[in-house]
Amino acid sequence: EIVVDDPARPHTGRVALVTGAAQGIGASMAAVLARDGAHVVCADVPAQGEALARVANHVGGSTLHLDVTAEGAPQALVDHLRERHGGVDVVVHNAGITRDKTLAGMDDARWDAVLEVNLVSQERLDEALLDADLLRPGGRIVGVSSIGGIAGNRGQTNYGASKAGVIGRVEALADELADRDATSNAVAPGFIETAMTERMPVGVREAGRRMNSLNQGGRPVDVAEAVSWLADVRSGAVNGQVVRVCGQSLL
Ligand code: NAI
């Protein structure tokens, strides 16, 4: 007998946290996860409050003002999820920043800021959630890496290190999570058209588009669809993997 799950709204009844959800790829993730049935807790820095409220409203989710690097962030997250939802099923570590400079200008402040937001915060938040036993069975942790953490971009030693770190982290965590009937995976997007890439010099942007086998920038929703699949209970046999998104077959 062949048994298949009903694919319609596979996240029904599940709670998904998306960090950096106020715009760009995170906002698309919130929309796709909500479309697929999840209640989405949309988290971002307080300064993004208005944009965040718009996204949460649009997807029928809720907001959480959370700077992932703030000292009290892990506890605030634990308190919020425990009180409002009793736990969490999907955690998407999407918050990310760039502070590009070639090596001569790469001061400690740029290095530390990027490592803190893009990598270290993921460890602190996951640790707090697991310690508090809030990740429910069937739980999914998805780290957002980057092709820049696999191939490396000029001027991004800090960013590349942080995004390569995300891959090492989800791979190491996979084994621990298997004991909890949960998984950790990462997506590594290529060049996606958002505010982050809009800030890049024109030549770098054009090179980014050419790196994509489709010869154009990817869309935030392309990444969001892959994340929704990794967040799905049906992807339970996929653990400790990195899904490259956006036709980077030229690498
Ligand atoms: P974006 O700059 O448009 O959005 C990033 C969001 O993260 C913003 O809403 C920002 O407020 C939030 N954020 C920043 N610091 C935060 C903090 N300390 N706490 C909570 N939220 C914080 O960027 P985009 O392009 O949407 O990127 C999303 C993720 O995808 C990032 O991790 C980025 O590194 C990654 N990525 C993006 C690619 C691209 O081509 N756009 C390619 C590969 C990866």
Side-chain angles (χ1 to χ4, degrees):
E1 190 195 3
I2 301 171
V3 179
V4 293
D5 294 333
D6 179 356
R9 294 174 63 84
H11 298 307
T12 299
R14 284 159 69 81
V15 173
L17 169 79
V18 179
T19 66
Q23 65 181 46
I25 296 172
S28 274
M29 289 170 176
V32 171
L33 288 164
R35 179 204 66 193
D36 290 345
H39 174 88
V40 184
V41 178
C42 304
D44 212 302
V45 292
Q48 288 273 47
E50 271 181 36
L52 189 66
R54 273 198 301 276
V55 171
N57 200 30
H58 182 68
V59 308
S62 48
T63 59
L64 174 63
H65 291 178
L66 188 81
D67 176 343
V68 294
T69 64
E71 201 182 334
Q75 190 59 48
L77 180 62
V78 162
D79 291 346
H80 182 90
L81 292 174
R82 186 189 276 134
E83 283 160 23
R84 306 280 178 97
H85 305 288
V88 65
D89 302 284
V90 177
V91 177
V92 188
H93 294 295
N94 167 75
I97 59 169
T98 52
R99 295 285 184 271
D100 295 359
K101 279 280 175 199
T102 48
L103 210 55
M106 185 56 77
D107 49 57
D108 282 0
R110 284 171 197 274
W111 182 266
D112 292 347
V114 167
L115 265 288
E116 280 290 316
V117 177
N118 296 8
L119 179 62
V120 180
S121 70
Q122 302 192 8
E123 180 76 7
R124 293 208 189 98
L125 297 182
D126 286 349
E127 193 182 0
L129 292 175
L130 294 179
D131 279 356
D133 215 13
L134 287 178
L135 187 69
R136 289 193 269 257
R140 301 280 178 265
I141 291 176
V142 183
V144 178
S145 178
S146 169
I147 294 295
I150 297 171
N153 292 324
R154 184 182 167 87
Q156 291 196 327
T157 53
N158 53 354
Y159 187 79
S162 73
K163 294 299 188 179
V166 169
I167 294 174
R169 216 190 143 256
V170 296
E171 288 179 353
L173 195 56
D175 199 48
E176 289 183 49
L177 290 184
D179 299 340
R180 297 172 180 252
D181 183 24
T183 66
S184 73
N185 294 288
V187 284
F191 182 90
I192 309 291
E193 306 279 359
T194 69
M196 180 178 277
T197 46
E198 187 62 35
R199 283 192 295 270
M200 293 175 167
V202 175
V204 177
R205 284 214 301 275
E206 280 166 3
R209 291 179 187 124
R210 280 198 302 274
M211 292 286 283
N212 187 324
S213 58
L214 304 173
N215 213 19
Q216 62 187 24
R219 301 167 306 161
V221 71
D222 298 335
V223 183
E225 293 288 0
V227 165
S228 185
W229 177 73
L230 284 173
D232 190 337
V233 284
R234 291 174 299 166
S235 67
V238 178
N239 197 11
Q241 303 300 312
V242 184
V243 177
R244 299 183 188 200
V245 181
C246 194
Q248 294 282 339
S249 60
L250 303 184
L251 275 178

